[in-house]
Amino acid sequence: MFVFPSFLQVEQVKLIDRFSTSNKSLVGTLYLTATHLLFIDSSQKETWILHHHIAAVEKLALTTSGCPLVIQCKNFRVVHFIVPRERDCHDIYNSLLQLSKLASYDELYAFSYNPKQNESKRLQGWQLIDLAEEYKRMGVPNSNWQLSDANRDYEICDSYPRELYVPRTASKPVIVGSSKFRSKGRFPVLSYYHRDKEAAICRCSQPLSGFSARCLEDENMLHAISIANPAHHYMYVMDTRPKLNAMANRAAGKGYENEDNYANIRFQFVGIENIHVMRSSLQKLLEVSGTKALSVNSFLSGLENSGWLRHIKAVLDAAVFLAKAIAVENATVLVHCSDGWDRTSQVCSLGSLLLDSHYRTIKGFMVLIEKDWISFGHKFSDRCGQLDGDPKEISPVFTQFLECVWHLTEQFPQAFEYNEAFLLQIHEHVHSCQFGNFLGNCQKEREELKLKEKTYSLWPFLLDEQKKYLNPLYNRDFSQKLVLLEPNTASFNFKFWRNMYHQFDRTMHPRQSVFNLIMAMSEQNKQLEKDFKELEAVSNLTGRLGKKECTLSHRGKIKCVPRLPFMLTFTELRGFAWVSCCLQHFLSCFCCPGQEGN
Amino acid sequence: MEFAELIKTAKVENVQLSCPGLPPIKGTLCITSHHLLLSSQPGGNGEQGTVELWLLIRNVDAVEKRIASSLGTITLKCKDLKVLQLEIPGMEECLNIASSTEALSSMDSVMMMYPFFYRPQSMKLKDGWQLYPLQHYYQQIAAETSAWRLSCINGDFTICSSYPPAVIVPATVDDKVLQKAARFRQGGRFPVLSYYHKKNGTVMLRSSQPLIGPNRKRCQQDELLLSTVLDGGERGFIIDTRSAQAAKQARMMGGGTEPKSSYPRWKRLHRPLERGRLLQESFIKLAEACNDTSLSMDRWLSKLEGSKWLAHVKAALSTACLAAQCMEREEACILVHGAEGTDTTLLVTALAQVILDPNCRTLTGFQGLLEREWIEAGHPFHFRCAHSAYSHARLKQEAPIFLLFLDCVWQLGRQFPFSLQFNERLLLVLFEHTYASCYGTFLCNSEKERCLCEVKEKTHSLWSWLNQPSELNTHLNPLYTYNALVIWPSVEPQSLQLWQGLFLRWIRSSQYLDEAWAEIHRLVTSCEDAPEESAGRTLCHSQPGAAYPLTITGTANEG
């Protein structure tokens, strides 16, 4: 057997199913490699856990059968090992602590990950998503919006990208002045431009207004944004925070816009809680969902107490408000929270997703994440705890975004080109640190890390295996290019996302997957259509095969009734080399595809 | 005629009908002995208006009226959970319509109900009533073993008024023994065969509680009957659907449960399942929570929890799994009973069969199961489904046990989407027809009553309508493939879901989900024109053979 290069190898380790009520367990060998923890059970099944995915390791009190070790992962996998000897357990525990908490970026997996790809392909991969191209697709620059070079060298805001789109009427002094009046210099810039409505989603951070401070440039900036929309003379300013939080910020010299100081704005709070509330909410959710032998009532009351679905609803409600303001009222909306990189990213990206069907395609969704999350400086490194840092900075803001998207895919099964597996895979890699995209907290930092030189981009890899992520029910015509998706956000529409939080607890999943089946079937249908076209061409050629009626019945088994001018046996048919692929399908209708059962 | 006396105003013009999600319609409202009809305003050139609403009055669960000056508003809350609003000009007319609807909907006499008057041209009266005779089921068992016989001891319903004329019992036990054993069981429901597990020859029996009473009575014949079922050293399980304490307390009222001393080879397991009033209240609370679309997330979750409905689903599925496990894995025979043996008992035996037996998961097999384990087995449909979740009437014997069964089957369908031959639509149709129907299948409480009312002679069978090819197709699951395996569901709360298709059917639009299913259907059959019909929002039961466009199909104004 192949021996894994590992620091540590412990035999006779038991892996316990955390929900099983019986004490069944798998016995196997546990290895620690430089990047992964690996468990191979007696049936040679391998369980790989990336060290970066480990959120917490816990050593429980010694039992008669050994020393229990519980590992919680950021992708919500929880593994429960029992190590026969306490000493070994202690070693594993210490090694994992060291391996999962890294002090500097260059120790991250992305810098050693080598998919054996040549350099030009690696570079091409990084060019797959081009944001300038995306802004062009939206229709900017145009007569109202232009590219600003104010931040070309990150001089006014180091957490923004270099290239920013602003109203043409906003002069450089206005931009600079406005940025000085905004938290972290994050002044109002364009996030999404709605070509048909000529309305825009803009984003920024909170103003440094305190109780009474004003800034003429900032007022001018908002005015410039407002008049960049020719149809409308009012714009919404959405503060995505609860009013109380925004008011408390005033005492620290921050706060929110005073409607009296800004011409023609409609100010609106939408009440999404901050990162700390979200972190503890998820914590509570996981505590509940991880409980063994959970009753329905404790699950529901736990779900309620965690507040998780309330937060998901709040985020989606805000996005719906934003999208409606644009699609129904033709109004431009400026979105901010405190720093404008968490809630603002959620609301802007979800709003765009509701407005523009492009973001509901695989490529479009990558663009959306690159634009509203990566380039605008959502602090992935801090929020995902990529390095050993302040645990209070960790928060599931991006996970919530994915969950909102999942809820939309549930309500609109035909509107999205991608499926749940795509969302789960992105979530996996946001935490894996295997690719360069999500490392660091902002573009400036990423440039300093030379990610484009030293690491790979995730997106081309996802595109390569996009078959796995396609939604077979996707209907391109489902929504015309710019027609608003209007989800129902009544509370009963929100469900616990089992496939995210119990992704690895297979016993809880449906035993048969409609999705996989449909996927296989639509593949097969395409193949069959192709085969029959070929067959028909052949039959026209030979004139031996007559008209055929072909229908696909259950599970893609084919019922083919060739009306042959004279009887052809299978053996004869086999004689035609060209139809052999078709014959495969003929024969497959006699053997039932594998059943998943118990 | 009695009906005519109840109808004070037969026809009102200019009535506006509205229901959530659909544009309001104006038209003429007519009330007949069994239906409320609303036909839209006829065109100017003397054309007939189209019938927009065709509501079986039996379907009305509650009538609420509000009068403001000369305009009256009647809210009709239906048993299938939809809510309709009628705005009626004229106070008197409004009051008359309301009182007629109320009186006609609460008529208690079975013989006066619509199935006895419904005569569609395309169907023959006797069809469908003999589709699933117990004899057939018995023959299947007889082909495997000679240990069982069909007894006609209850031919005249004197031994047990809620059993069918024929029952399957151990071959070596003669009718005299049965007669004595019946006297020892509540309502005469002595242990009979419910299911024969071909794979290993184990059986599931069902009965009512034994009449142990405070004096710890015993019955030799009952003990003999049960011990005959077990071979040599075999042991069996008794699944009592009450808690150990409740079963013990039942002794004070003359009931009880099998004591270890008299039934030494049977091991008792207690799995309390809710029934009766508490279950009905659970249903009422859930419907109430679903109807309030303005609830905050916290209120919604706490109301969902408070209704306890999903807890009942979990309990029912778990108990059925336990029963299935005893047979499949322990290879043991089991006896299931609660108190009367007509509610939770049937819930468990029927569900266990769906889990164990692939034949029960086919469309005809499922109909046969319902016929055998619910209808013939004497589930008192007339009492249990007299009112649904909206009624203001004082609760009597209502309980949504059968709905709970349908919900559990739906959960199985969610977890094993290829293993049921029928789809959600069939479950919805069954739910509707248990509460209000133009067919006689779910009328009355037992075979005895059905005999007395001549239901099988004078009404049509639901099955004969369902099994018409055109109907059949709409109830098939396009993804079905025969799955010979036992389907063990996950009963973790994370795996159970609210049955939105039923509880939110009239509250939220299912347009996109229906379209997705149509697409799945299209992909599977790969036909150009997949039937677009869905379990969606039609305002009245389809009335086979009727010449009207019966559904509100107008483009729903969603959003």
Side-chain angles (χ1 to χ4, degrees):
Chain A
M1 194 187 122
F2 175 73
V3 180
F4 293 92
S6 58
F7 305 119
L8 207 83
Q9 175 179 343
V10 183
E11 318 239 337
Q12 292 294 313
V13 174
K14 280 189 204 155
L15 175 65
I16 297 178
D17 179 345
R18 65 167 167 155
F19 291 112
S20 167
T21 42
S22 65
N23 282 326
K24 264 192 241 162
S25 60
L26 296 165
V27 181
T29 308
L30 191 149
Y31 303 85
L32 285 189
T33 75
T35 52
H36 289 83
L37 176 153
L38 169 61
F39 178 79
I40 304 180
D41 67 30
S42 47
S43 63
Q44 299 304 311
K45 203 180 134 259
E46 298 174 5
T47 306
W48 291 83
I49 295 171
L50 190 61
H51 297 323
H52 295 321
H53 269 147
I54 295 175
V57 193
E58 203 184 347
K59 224 170 56 162
L60 305 181
L62 195 68
T63 67
T64 48
S65 54
C67 191
L69 187 73
V70 178
I71 301 174
Q72 287 183 22
C73 300
K74 292 170 182 172
N75 56 9
F76 307 116
R77 186 203 281 268
V78 177
V79 279
H80 196 141
F81 289 118
I82 293 182
V83 185
R85 290 192 309 167
E86 196 186 5
R87 203 192 148 74
D88 288 335
C89 185
H90 194 71
D91 285 347
I92 299 171
Y93 175 76
N94 281 337
S95 309
L96 285 178
L97 278 190
Q98 279 173 17
L99 290 164
S100 63
K101 300 250 180 280
L102 301 172
S104 75
Y105 284 116
D106 50 18
E107 293 173 85
L108 292 177
Y109 186 32
F111 291 96
S112 59
Y113 175 63
N114 181 6
K116 310 222 161 53
Q117 208 176 55
N118 67 39
E119 185 58 15
S120 70
K121 218 172 163 208
R122 196 188 62 79
L123 276 174
Q124 260 176 24
W126 277 111
Q127 283 150 12
L128 184 70
I129 306 294
D130 179 356
L131 288 186
E133 198 58 42
E134 169 61 11
Y135 284 101
K136 214 186 277 172
R137 186 194 67 84
M138 292 179 204
V140 287
N142 59 24
S143 55
N144 290 313
W145 294 89
Q146 66 177 2
L147 182 65
S148 159
D149 60 359
N151 202 40
R152 197 193 303 159
D153 297 310
Y154 299 116
E155 57 264 57
I156 55 177
C157 176
D158 58 5
S159 61
Y160 266 173
R162 290 173 189 272
E163 304 196 325
L164 293 166
Y165 292 83
V166 295
R168 254 180 217 284
T169 53
S171 65
K172 185 103 182 243
V174 165
I175 292 173
V176 174
S178 168
S179 83
K180 285 190 178 136
F181 189 63
R182 293 276 167 179
S183 210
K184 309 279 193 314
R186 294 171 69 94
F187 63 97
V189 295
L190 181 79
S191 157
Y192 176 74
Y193 178 76
H194 196 286
R195 202 194 271 264
D196 289 1
K197 307 279 179 189
E198 298 184 88
I201 302 176
C202 294
R203 55 184 293 170
C204 62
S205 61
Q206 64 185 336
L208 304 175
S209 51
F211 289 102
S212 59
R214 294 182 61 166
C215 168
L216 203 61
E217 289 92 341
D218 194 60
E219 289 163 25
N220 287 339
M221 185 74 199
L222 262 64
H223 181 67
I225 290 173
S226 169
I227 60 170
N229 178 347
H232 251 273
H233 296 295
Y234 65 83
M235 68 185 268
Y236 282 101
V237 175
M238 265 175 92
D239 190 327
T240 55
R241 297 168 294 181
K243 188 171 184 185
L244 221 65
N245 300 21
M247 282 167 71
N249 262 300
R250 290 204 300 198
K254 301 165 188 171
Y256 54 92
E257 291 81 356
N258 183 339
E259 257 179 310
D260 300 338
N261 299 342
Y262 293 84
N264 304 318
I265 67 162
R266 294 187 180 178
F267 187 85
Q268 180 82 33
F269 286 111
V270 291
I272 303 173
E273 299 287 350
N274 65 26
I275 57 165
H276 310 294
V277 175
M278 300 307 191
R279 179 178 58 248
S280 84
S281 170
L282 179 63
Q283 198 54 44
K284 286 183 200 156
L285 181 79
L286 294 178
E287 268 164 37
V288 173
S289 68
T291 310
K292 215 170 165 173
L294 187 63
S295 77
V296 172
N297 281 5
S298 8
F299 174 66
L300 290 174
S301 69
L303 196 59
E304 180 196 340
N305 290 335
S306 76
W308 184 255
L309 290 178
R310 171 160 47 90
H311 301 314
I312 297 292
K313 175 171 154 60
V315 174
L316 204 53
D317 272 330
V320 170
F321 177 87
L322 165 64
K324 276 195 176 157
I326 293 199
V328 181
E329 294 181 58
N330 291 17
T332 288
V333 187
L334 174 65
V335 184
H336 71 73
C337 46
S338 296
D339 291 319
W341 50 43
D342 294 310
R343 291 166 271 202
T344 302
S345 297
Q346 289 178 329
V347 175
C348 289
S349 54
L350 283 169
S352 312
L353 190 75
L354 295 175
L355 286 165
D356 192 333
S357 61
H358 178 60
Y359 300 127
R360 295 173 225 143
T361 64
I362 288 195
K363 182 90 182 289
F365 194 62
M366 296 173 177
V367 170
L368 185 67
I369 292 173
E370 280 283 345
K371 175 170 70 76
D372 273 314
W373 292 88
I374 296 174
S375 90
F376 277 116
H378 172 68
K379 303 202 289 174
F380 276 106
S381 180
D382 288 356
R383 296 292 177 260
C384 303
Q386 291 172 350
L387 299 179
D388 193 14
D390 183 358
K392 286 209 172 70
E393 281 287 310
I394 295 176
S395 187
V397 175
F398 187 73
T399 307
Q400 289 183 319
F401 161 69
L402 292 178
E403 183 160 338
C404 288
V405 177
W406 173 74
H407 272 107
L408 293 174
T409 62
E410 286 283 292
Q411 279 199 35
F412 303 96
Q414 295 193 270
F416 291 80
E417 188 186 21
Y418 42 88
N419 60 29
E420 186 181 44
F422 187 58
L423 303 177
L424 293 175
Q425 189 67 356
I426 291 174
H427 184 260
E428 180 90 1
H429 284 299
V430 164
H431 293 96
S432 73
C433 304
Q434 185 175 348
F435 296 93
N437 308 61
F438 303 105
L439 301 194
N441 286 319
C442 59
Q443 292 297 60
K444 185 167 177 245
E445 203 173 1
R446 284 182 198 107
E447 285 173 20
E448 286 161 8
L449 288 170
K450 300 198 167 38
L451 292 175
K452 293 198 177 177
E453 288 151 52
K454 294 180 174 170
T455 71
Y456 291 84
S457 165
L458 168 67
W459 309 129
F461 288 86
L462 292 185
L463 269 188
D464 274 352
E465 46 180 29
Q466 67 166 306
K467 254 190 190 169
K468 284 202 265 182
Y469 308 126
L470 285 173
N471 169 13
L473 299 179
Y474 177 54
N475 178 359
R476 236 163 255 285
D477 308 324
F478 176 83
S479 41
Q480 293 295 311
K481 222 169 165 9
L482 290 177
V483 172
L484 179 67
L485 218 53
E486 286 188 75
N488 181 339
T489 59
S491 300
F492 51 62
N493 292 291
F494 293 86
K495 297 177 286 191
F496 173 75
W497 190 4
R498 184 194 54 222
N499 289 0
M500 172 65 102
Y501 303 104
H502 291 295
Q503 199 184 154
F504 299 93
D505 304 308
R506 302 306 302 180
T507 54
M508 282 189 189
H509 292 240
R511 309 304 206 273
Q512 297 169 322
S513 154
V514 174
F515 169 76
N516 289 344
L517 173 71
I518 299 290
M519 201 66 205
M521 235 152 33
S522 74
E523 276 294 302
Q524 206 173 344
N525 278 4
K526 277 179 207 152
Q527 185 60 38
L528 279 174
E529 265 167 43
K530 218 177 105 206
D531 290 349
F532 275 102
K533 272 192 191 126
E534 280 169 22
L535 188 65
E536 205 144 46
V538 168
S539 72
N540 287 342
L541 247 152
T542 60
R544 281 197 76 181
L545 289 166
K547 255 193 184 170
K548 296 165 290 301
E549 276 179 7
C550 178
T551 51
L552 294 180
S553 72
H554 298 161
R555 303 199 64 169
K557 278 182 275 175
I558 96 166
K559 265 192 267 171
C560 186
V561 200
R563 285 200 207 125
L564 302 175
F566 42 87
M567 282 313 290
L568 263 178
T569 64
F570 271 140
T571 341
E572 275 179 284
L573 260 172
R574 242 184 229 124
F576 296 94
W578 336 291
V579 295
S580 69
C581 68
C582 177
L583 229 155
Q584 291 277 302
H585 291 297
F586 263 112
L587 297 176
S588 74
C589 62
F590 297 107
C591 38
C592 231
Q595 279 281 341
E596 277 181 81
N598 300 0
Chain B
M1 164 106 205
E2 194 181 343
F3 293 124
E5 291 161 23
L6 295 174
I7 303 172
K8 294 170 203 146
T9 301
K11 190 171 163 190
V12 192
E13 306 275 351
N14 281 318
V15 173
Q16 179 166 303
L17 164 74
S18 48
C19 82
L22 297 172
I25 300 162
K26 252 199 166 142
T28 306
L29 183 77
C30 294
I31 187 162
T32 72
S33 43
H34 292 105
H35 288 95
L36 266 177
L37 299 128
L38 186 110
S39 49
S40 62
Q41 307 293 38
N45 45 8
E47 268 177 50
Q48 280 255 295
T50 48
V51 178
E52 305 279 2
L53 174 73
W54 182 284
L55 181 76
L56 196 57
I57 293 179
R58 182 76 192 161
N59 191 1
V60 175
D61 203 27
V63 182
E64 288 162 18
K65 49 188 183 283
R66 215 179 51 232
I67 311 271
S69 66
S70 67
L71 188 74
T73 306
I74 297 180
T75 306
L76 298 175
K77 297 188 164 177
C78 300
K79 290 176 180 163
D80 61 10
L81 304 183
K82 75 171 160 258
V83 177
L84 302 173
Q85 228 169 44
L86 295 170
E87 278 176 23
I88 299 171
M91 196 170 80
E92 201 190 327
E93 284 85 350
C94 178
L95 291 174
N96 283 346
I97 295 283
S99 69
S100 304
T101 311
E102 227 159 327
L104 289 167
S105 68
S106 55
M107 219 159 8
D108 208 40
S109 157
V110 174
M111 308 281 282
M112 299 301 266
M113 286 182 189
Y114 187 56
F116 286 92
F117 300 86
Y118 177 53
R119 293 290 175 266
Q121 285 166 356
S122 61
M123 291 162 74
K124 285 203 211 83
L125 259 183
K126 299 243 161 85
D127 281 1
W129 284 113
Q130 291 305 321
L131 275 181
Y132 311 102
L134 195 66
Q135 280 82 351
H136 276 190
Y137 189 66
Y138 172 68
Q139 275 156 17
Q140 287 172 26
I141 298 170
E144 305 278 329
T145 169
S146 54
W148 299 89
R149 70 182 178 94
L150 198 65
S151 164
C152 294
I153 184 177
N154 200 36
D156 51 4
F157 303 108
T158 48
I159 302 290
C160 171
S161 62
S162 62
Y163 269 169
V167 286
I168 302 172
V169 294
T172 53
V173 174
D174 63 33
D175 284 355
K176 271 190 203 136
V177 173
L178 296 178
Q179 205 169 355
K180 292 257 171 62
R183 275 191 225 138
F184 188 61
R185 294 276 170 177
Q186 183 172 0
R189 295 175 70 90
F190 56 92
V192 295
L193 181 135
S194 150
Y195 171 63
Y196 178 80
H197 196 40
K198 268 187 202 151
K199 201 159 133 195
N200 56 21
T202 55
V203 294
M204 176 157 59
L205 308 172
R206 55 175 159 72
S207 69
S208 60
Q209 63 179 344
L211 300 174
I212 308 282
N215 300 327
R216 296 171 193 273
K217 268 192 292 186
R218 292 179 62 165
C219 170
Q220 211 189 340
Q221 289 79 4
D222 190 70
E223 290 166 25
L224 173 71
L225 173 56
L226 283 182
S227 68
T228 311
V229 175
L230 303 177
D231 273 344
E234 269 182 2
R235 301 175 68 85
F237 292 95
I238 294 174
I239 297 178
D240 192 322
T241 60
R242 302 163 294 178
S243 67
Q245 206 195 350
K248 212 170 156 192
Q249 275 170 358
R251 286 221 317 264
M252 304 313 294
M253 308 292 292
T257 191
E258 293 81 355
K260 191 89 211 152
S261 53
S262 349
Y263 301 85
R265 286 156 70 200
W266 291 89
K267 184 175 165 46
R268 238 171 39 226
L269 302 166
H270 290 276
R271 290 292 181 278
L273 294 180
E274 211 53 78
R275 61 193 190 112
R277 194 186 192 93
L278 282 172
L279 196 63
Q280 179 71 10
E281 277 166 6
S282 168
F283 179 34
I284 292 171
K285 281 184 196 162
L286 179 61
E288 192 186 286
C290 289
N291 270 295
D292 189 349
T293 51
S294 65
L295 287 178
S296 74
M297 186 60 74
D298 289 2
R299 291 289 295 149
W300 158 250
L301 287 173
S302 93
K303 285 198 159 201
L304 183 61
E305 182 205 340
S307 80
K308 298 207 176 81
W309 182 261
L310 285 171
H312 297 317
V313 170
K314 180 179 157 91
L317 274 173
S318 309
T319 309
C321 280
L322 175 74
Q325 220 163 5
C326 288
M327 299 181 77
E328 168 79 13
R329 301 224 168 120
E330 305 288 324
E331 307 207 328
C333 293
I334 58 169
L335 166 67
V336 183
H337 72 70
E340 291 94 342
T342 53
D343 294 290
T344 49
T345 304
L346 304 181
L347 177 64
V348 174
T349 58
L351 258 184
Q353 293 181 51
V354 178
I355 291 169
L356 286 170
D357 187 356
N359 294 324
C360 292
R361 299 176 219 139
T362 64
L363 192 57
T364 47
F366 190 64
Q367 290 176 12
L369 177 76
L370 297 182
E371 190 70 38
R372 218 163 18 86
E373 287 299 286
W374 288 95
I375 299 169
E376 287 190 3
H379 177 64
F381 280 102
H382 182 72
F383 288 152
R384 299 292 179 260
C385 302
H387 287 290
S388 176
Y390 295 136
S391 172
H392 304 300
R394 201 167 54 84
L395 287 183
K396 280 180 278 181
Q397 299 201 43
E398 292 82 359
I401 290 273
F402 186 70
L403 171 61
L404 185 59
F405 167 72
L406 294 177
D407 196 333
C408 292
V409 173
W410 179 82
Q411 306 277 352
L412 288 171
R414 291 285 297 198
Q415 296 194 23
F416 296 89
F418 316 149
S419 298
L420 303 184
Q421 196 190 15
F422 47 88
N423 59 17
E424 179 181 29
R425 202 181 150 85
L426 177 81
L427 301 177
L428 292 175
V429 165
L430 290 170
F431 163 67
E432 289 170 0
H433 283 268
T434 48
Y435 281 91
S437 177
C438 42
Y439 303 100
T441 301
F442 292 111
L443 289 183
C444 301
N445 291 311
S446 63
E447 286 296 281
K448 185 183 177 185
E449 288 184 21
R450 270 171 221 120
C451 242
L452 288 172
C453 297
E454 297 175 279
V455 168
K456 294 181 185 182
E457 287 79 39
K458 293 185 172 167
T459 75
H460 286 279
S461 156
L462 176 67
W463 310 134
S464 85
W465 169 65
L466 269 178
N467 292 331
Q468 294 172 6
S470 57
E471 280 305 318
L472 205 62
N473 278 333
T474 61
H475 298 114
L476 289 175
N477 170 12
L479 304 175
Y480 174 71
T481 38
Y482 181 83
N483 175 2
L485 299 171
V486 178
I487 52 171
W488 300 110
S490 160
V491 294
E492 301 292 340
Q494 293 97 319
S495 306
L496 301 176
Q497 287 187 4
L498 176 69
W499 185 5
Q500 297 209 352
L502 186 129
F503 293 106
L504 301 176
R505 181 173 179 191
W506 310 101
I507 294 157
R508 57 111 175 92
S509 156
S510 61
Q511 183 198 345
Y512 301 120
L513 302 181
D514 297 341
E515 284 171 4
W517 269 104
E519 173 65 13
I520 290 177
H521 201 252
R522 196 193 63 78
L523 275 172
V524 175
T525 55
S526 205
C527 292
E528 261 85 273
D529 308 302
E532 295 282 326
E533 230 177 319
S534 65
R537 338 174 95 198
T538 45
L539 268 183
C540 33
H541 291 160
S542 345
Q543 292 258 338
Y548 305 102
L550 293 165
T551 52
I552 290 196
T553 44
T555 40
N557 194 7
E558 312 297 350

